[in-house]
Amino acid sequence: MKKAAITLLLFSLALCSVSAAQWIRINQKGYLVNDIKVAVWLSNQSDSITEFQIVNDLTQKVVYNSQRIQSKGAQGAFVNTCRLNFSDFKQSGCFYIKAGQSESPAFKVSNDVYASAVEVPLKYMRQQRCGYNPFLKDSCHRYDGRIIYHPTRTGEKIDTRGGWHDASDYLQYVTTSANAIYQMLFAYSQYPSVFADNFKADGSLGSNGVPDVLDEAKWGLDWLLRMNPDKDTFFNQIADDRDHIGFKLPNEDSADYGWGSGKDRPVYYCTGQKQGLFKNQNRTTGLASTVGKFASAYSLGADMLVTYYPEYAKLLKEKAVDAYKKGVEFPGVCQTAPCRSPYFYEEDNWTDDMQLAAVQIYKSTGEKQYLKDAVQYGRMEPVTPWMGADSARHYQWYPFVNLGHYQLASQENSMVNKEFLRDLKTGLERVRERADNDAFLNGIPFIWCSNNLVVALITQCHLYRKLTGNTEFQEMETAMRDWLFGCNPWGKCMIVGLPSDGDYPRYPHSAFAQLGHYPIDGGLVDGPVYTTIFNNLRGVRLSGTDKYADFQSDKVVYHDDYADYSTNEPTMDGTASLCYYLAYLTSEAFPKDSNKRVLGGIIQGDSSKKQIALVFTGHEFADGAQTIRRTLKKQGIKASFFLTGDFYRSYTKLVKQLQKDGHYLAPHSNKHILYVDWIKRDSTLVTRGVFQKDLKDNYLAMTQAGINLPQQLYFLPSFEWYNGDISSWSKELGAQLINFTPGTSSNADYTIPEMDSYRSSDEIYQKIMNYEQEHSLNGFVLLFHIGVDPRRTDKFYNYLDKMIIDLKSKDYDIVRVDELLKNDLLIHK
């Protein structure tokens, strides 16, 4: 017996080992319906697969089978890898993939999966604010600062409060901040309608009539103005690595720069010459890389803010020209300054900054000399040098995406736009060529802050597609987007808190997270680095066991560990650069139909069409079922029935008859739970888990009753009462919440004489017809009950035939809800 037990144990362990040897990586945030949709299958053994399935997570039914598998062989830590292409799968909903012995996490397919995603990076930007910090509701670095490196003003006090902390330390750089400002403004310029106004200018909750992204950009611009007090004076850095004295919250920063603990910090004057207070020096050769960034941020800021702050915009416009002239006068790079350690932003290019500044000022002023300058500067760096390279120094080629090329490629001058379109394409080709046979199509170099390069690549891919309509690089674009959302060797989402239920960094290198245990949602972490970089950086380590050891390779590593600042530290500029592409994805979520919505639920179809849907709900009673069936059959129309799990279990024969009659059948809550408080509608009475189990159990009851589930899943909540939580949670599972159209009191057919809300059947009928005469019933969802309490003897279903005849006489077409709301499918175009 003992030997048999040991044998059984070893066999069980072997099975566990096999099942743990395969993984399927997917985009945990989800896919747009018309996306190029690819998952990546990984195995650390020599097994292979020939097919895969997609299973509906709500119904547990296999909905798709495919053999579209592209083998990629051994890569990194894996013996075998494959790309599973399901681009032709167009259903909306929540699903998971089965392949070999592995199952993927659940994922959504819908065009609304990125709804409001663009707001998430702004959370992190507000949290990174220096000066008054709205997250902490306190101020930090109130004594900034003291000028250094100025030939006559060194040691002088200057007010440079504001801006953002660069990462999880509290240094501040114009290099990254000006780029972050431009990125946010650029995102707004391309997709202005997707940005909300939920916060005031100081970052506190509340509307101020200005989109939040512009509030955030202006916060940065205000700081730039302090760093550029006159046309000849530019500063580019506050503080240095003397800041690195361990984790501390910004309002508790005790770093001492010679003026007292927690007091003044140094403000670096731009000299155009090498800087570094101790042994280590940068390689500065001029001013253009910094002042060019000032100029482009000022110029685009003037254009975007003129509606809200006309005098401020006028000032920015003047400052843009002054900064640009300074760059022309002093070409070269103005790098950030190291101090005790050798690390700094080693930016070696500057013509891209002047190119962007020139074309932006040209767009603002129309002066053709700026366009000529922009073209000339652009020709000096046709392709951003990291594209196609195996490595680069820290921020050597920055910004990582050249938006000056995009601006020139957008010009009407055909010779100019063709030249810079070609340059954009060449860069993308180089990265694609470097990706070669990579299972994830990732051709970027895994240098420090590699995720910033991923975002830059996504941005360039999309801008090229937007300009040309050419989809040549779309697979790489979506693959890199999916990389950020978990389709990577580690199965890790790279944006903290996005998606909220995803496997994102839980232990980021951040004082907010580690000391305050605060969420730092929206922060884009550095991302994977070459193993050689991780092994050679000063002070980097792991605080415990590497949970991702099975996925690490000799080439590249990533760690969700607070002690690894090389891969798991969020960056302010990388986060800001997310705004453009997330704005595009959010724009895809905007309803492209004519259906009316309240709190995420559809309550009416297209009001321009004379269509009506008759909906019947049921839980306990079914006394009207046969009368309703006969009437509908007599009138030759199809209706929709939303029934609880208890109803499906109690009236199995009836529901089969209803489906055979051609009616639409759907869920109404498994146990007829009240989800939301009657008085405080924003008070949800159930947890997400309880709700989703209730809905899943309702669908299970349907399948157990022998009901074939419809392709388009709609759900009508119990008591016809819900809030945004309920509609969102149902949508996560792939079911669109709907409700009746208010105004007719059709749903009062359940009331009994003892109720104050009692309405007789004649009253209900008259109100429906009066409403139709005074308004219309176009697109209406008229809700009734399949059965009512025996205490109500006046049954409205006895009026059903008369009502249908009268509505038909007024040329209404009575249809199922999936027909009435079919425009909802246009969301999935």
Side-chain angles (χ1 to χ4, degrees), residues 396-620:
Q396 184 178 5
W397 312 115
Y398 187 78
F400 300 117
V401 61
N402 187 343
L403 293 176
H405 276 14
Y406 166 76
Q407 298 288 17
L408 288 174
S410 305
Q411 296 302 309
E412 293 181 0
N413 185 310
S414 61
M415 291 185 64
V416 171
N417 65 42
K418 286 180 181 179
E419 176 180 351
F420 288 95
L421 275 175
R422 184 172 64 248
D423 291 341
L424 289 171
K425 181 178 182 180
T426 299
L428 297 176
E429 288 173 334
R430 290 181 182 179
V431 178
R432 184 175 61 184
E433 181 179 354
R434 188 174 181 278
D436 191 24
N437 196 47
D438 185 75
F440 299 96
L441 302 189
N442 196 330
I444 67 154
F446 288 102
I447 56 176
W448 199 355
C449 299
S450 66
N451 277 341
N452 292 14
L453 272 64
V454 171
V455 178
L457 178 59
I458 294 169
T459 300
Q460 187 158 323
C461 283
H462 185 259
L463 290 173
Y464 181 78
R465 177 160 65 95
K466 186 177 179 181
L467 285 169
T468 65
N470 187 322
T471 59
E472 179 181 356
F473 303 103
Q474 189 173 2
E475 184 174 10
M476 183 166 65
E477 173 189 329
T478 54
M480 292 299 89
R481 178 204 65 191
D482 297 347
W483 174 278
L484 294 179
F485 290 111
C487 193
N488 54 57
W490 306 270
K492 199 73 176 179
C493 300
M494 296 294 173
I495 305 168
V496 180
L498 191 65
S500 59
D501 57 350
D503 182 10
Y504 58 80
R506 260 44 182 203
Y507 307 99
H509 182 83
S510 163
F512 278 91
Q514 297 309 310
L515 296 183
H517 305 290
Y518 299 128
I520 56 169
D521 290 353
L524 175 72
V525 297
D526 291 322
V529 297
Y530 289 125
T531 306
T532 52
I533 292 178
F534 174 76
N535 289 337
N536 287 286
L537 281 173
R538 294 183 181 183
V540 73
R541 61 185 178 88
L542 296 184
S543 64
T545 303
D546 182 5
K547 299 185 293 290
Y548 296 89
D550 287 344
F551 313 128
Q552 313 293 15
S553 71
D554 294 338
K555 181 182 178 183
V556 180
V557 296
Y558 166 79
H559 308 101
D560 185 5
D561 190 307
Y562 75 87
D564 181 5
Y565 66 80
S566 70
T567 71
N568 213 36
E569 180 177 7
T571 62
M572 176 274 299
D573 61 314
T575 299
S577 71
L578 287 167
C579 288
Y580 167 75
Y581 198 69
L582 290 183
Y584 152 66
L585 293 173
T586 298
S587 74
E588 291 295 295
F590 279 32
K592 298 174 176 64
D593 58 44
S594 303
N595 299 326
K596 184 178 180 180
R597 290 168 168 79
V598 171
L599 296 174
I602 299 176
I603 64 166
Q604 187 176 355
D606 189 343
S607 60
S608 69
K609 296 182 179 179
K610 292 181 75 69
Q611 287 185 325
I612 295 172
L614 300 184
V615 165
F616 299 88
T617 61
H619 175 49
E620 295 178 86

Side-chain angles (χ1 to χ4, degrees), residues 327-392:
V328 173
E329 184 180 359
F330 296 97
V333 293
C334 183
Q335 297 177 336
T336 66
C339 190
R340 290 170 176 161
S341 76
Y343 305 132
F344 61 99
Y345 290 148
E346 303 183 57
E347 186 178 9
D348 275 344
N349 55 342
W350 58 272
T351 57
D352 56 337
D353 298 302
M354 292 298 289
Q355 172 193 3
L356 181 59
V359 70
Q360 196 62 59
I361 295 173
Y362 165 71
K363 290 183 67 176
S364 180
T365 65
E367 295 183 26
K368 292 186 177 180
Q369 184 57 50
Y370 289 112
L371 178 60
K372 292 179 181 178
D373 289 355
V375 171
Q376 187 59 39
Y377 282 126
R379 286 172 177 166
M380 295 170 74
E381 187 179 282
V383 177
T384 304
W386 72 260
M387 305 188 85
D390 291 331
S391 190

